[in-house]
């Protein structure tokens, strides 16, 4: 029996997804982000799968229709020409449509985002009541996602380590994470006098700084000068990072593709995904697991050094079954300890940066606040290893935050009973999507 509270949350979450639906895809937020973002779209499709599977499939079809000729699935698809008026940087600043690999019918960015689509597709398929229907959709989506992964392993793993690199901080999904501070210290970008749109919707204190944006825009400028040629970008970009969340999500998606290929009798593809999965989990464990922190860390390929920073993202490879049981037990202790739950152990999981870190900021975007789609990944991961207490806490904290503050983009992890702690955009799609999964 659903409680009244759950019914209200469910109705509110459905209202938000409907409000943010635009004919064939969902915008993350109607004011702040008016186009289709890759990993948002994946989470939003999972949300839709709880209330309208047709829309869930349409969301994925629309996203895949913007796939590049080399397999890249772009981070933003600008579905209409007013892009540059509504969001900065828009299609013109990115200039990715000049690349011979970009699609002909729609403008996109020339970078990607965490590769969630493998596990998203498995989620959708599990929700199908009649498994004999929509087979063409599933087979075609599996093929597109495999070609995306092939692009990543071919063009983004220069030393054949099973760990692909990201070449822009926006590809990580965790845009202004304190992890990148070390990379920014290595060079000085020019100052860009541009008109940002994000700070007209959200208070500047909750967004990246102006100087942060100089770095982000400079990476786009360099990519544009390379006309988005991967080999040239590898030579010229100052930002090449093996990111644990990106690779953990890639491995989790490979795991799902293995199951789907098995079900659909796609044997060669299954063998390929098994090979990738084994390689990436080995790479994660051999190179990125940091036993002294009980977390996965980052590797900076350009400057040839590790970056260790206690982030929520450092736990995410648990979803791919990467850690050993012993490592997972250490990770469970870590996430429930005072670094992440605060001195009284009563904070909300999981802060994007440990509350004990000197760089922690309770309201600034990816430098402290809780993000529900990250909680969803962690909840699945810890549950899979049998750490139900951790998984239950992640789920309960997510529900409590939304009940307390509303369907915001991110939340204050500190537990002040009388203070509202929802930040960024409101009526946010993936927050609604995650809630729909948690209560169904
Ligand atoms: C945020 O990123 C965009 C750039 O991609 C922005 O700040 O303008 C991030 O939170 C990213 O992970 C997310 O996909 C996007 C849309 O929700 O917003």
């Amino acid at each position: 029996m659903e409680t009244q509270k759950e019914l209200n949350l469910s109705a509110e979450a459905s209202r938000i997804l409907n409000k943010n639906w635009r004919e064939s895809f969902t915008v993350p937020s109607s004011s702040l982000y008016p186009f289709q973002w890759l990993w948002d779209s994946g989470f939003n499709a999972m949300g839709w799968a709880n209330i309208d599977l047709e829309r869930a499939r349409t969301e994925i079809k629309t996203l895949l229709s913007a796939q590049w000729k080399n397999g890249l699935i772009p981070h933003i698809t600008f579905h209409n020409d007013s892009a540059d008026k509504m969001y900065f940087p828009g299609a013109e600043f990115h200039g990715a449509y000049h690349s011979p690999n970009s699609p002909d019918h729609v403008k996109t960015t020339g970078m990607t985002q965490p590769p969630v689509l493998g596990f998203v597709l498995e989620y959708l398929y599990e929700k199908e009541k009649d498994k004999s229907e929509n087979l063409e959709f599933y087979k075609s989506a599996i093929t597109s996602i495999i070609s995306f992964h092939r692009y990543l392993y071919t063009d983004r793993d220069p030393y054949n380590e099973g760990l692909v690199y990201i070449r822009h901080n926006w590809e990580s999904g965790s845009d202004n994470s304190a992890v990148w501070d070390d990379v920014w210290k290595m060079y000085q970008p020019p100052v860009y006098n541009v008109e940002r749109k994000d700070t007209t919707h959200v208070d500047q204190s909750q967004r990246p700084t102006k100087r942060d944006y100089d770095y982000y825009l400079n990476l786009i400028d360099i990519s544009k000068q390379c006309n988005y040629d991967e080999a040239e970008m590898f030579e010229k970009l100052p930002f090449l990072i093996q990111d644990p969340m990106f690779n953990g999500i890639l491995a989790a998606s490979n795991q799902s593709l293995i199951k789907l290929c098995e079900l659909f009798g796609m044997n060669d593809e299954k063998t390929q995904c098994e090979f990738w999965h084994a390689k990436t989990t080995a790479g994660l464990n051999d190179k990125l697991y940091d036993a002294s922190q009980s977390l996965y860390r980052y590797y900076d390929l350009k400057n040839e050094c590790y970056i260790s920073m206690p982030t929520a993202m450092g736990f995410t490879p648990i979803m791919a079954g990467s850690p050993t049981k012993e490592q997972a037990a250490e990770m469970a202790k870590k996430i429930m300890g005072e670094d992440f739950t605060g001195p009284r152990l009563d904070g909300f999981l999981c802060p994007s940066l440990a509350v004990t870190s000197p760089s922690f900021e309770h309201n600034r975007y990816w430098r402290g606040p809780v993000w529900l789609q990250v909680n969803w990944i962690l909840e699945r991961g810890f549950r899979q290893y049998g750490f139900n207490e951790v998984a239950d806490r992640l789920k309960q904290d997510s529900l409590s935050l939304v009940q307390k503050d509303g369907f915001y983009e991110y939340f204050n992890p500190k537990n002040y009973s009388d203070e509202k702690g929802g930040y960024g955009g409101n009526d946010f799609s993936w927050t609604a999507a995650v809630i729909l999964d948690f209560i169904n």
Side-chain angles (χ1 to χ4, degrees), residues 43-104:
F43 282 99
N44 297 339
M46 294 197 285
W48 279 118
N50 288 283
I51 51 178
D52 185 339
L53 260 170
E54 178 65 35
R55 283 210 173 162
R57 281 184 239 106
T58 303
E59 176 89 44
I60 299 301
K61 271 189 235 165
T62 308
L63 184 72
L64 294 177
S65 72
Q67 184 163 26
W68 282 33
K69 294 167 192 118
N70 61 352
L72 175 140
I73 300 179
H75 121 275
I76 308 176
T77 306
F78 298 105
H79 286 287
N80 70 55
D81 285 339
S82 53
D84 292 278
K85 287 191 209 97
M86 299 158 77
Y87 177 81
F88 181 82
E92 285 309 316
F93 193 94
H94 282 275
Y97 56 89
H98 295 298
S99 161
N101 283 320
S102 67
D104 303 323

Side-chain angles (χ1 to χ4, degrees), residues 28 33 37 39-40 75-76 87 113 170 173-175 207 213 365-366 371 409 428 430:
Y33 308 121
W37 263 256
W39 76 316
D40 297 69
H75 121 275
I76 308 176
Y87 177 81
Q113 261 194 329
W170 279 338
S174 48
D175 299 6
R207 293 285 305 174
Y213 259 76
Y365 211 37
W366 287 92
W371 291 75
E409 187 178 3
F428 212 84
W430 64 17

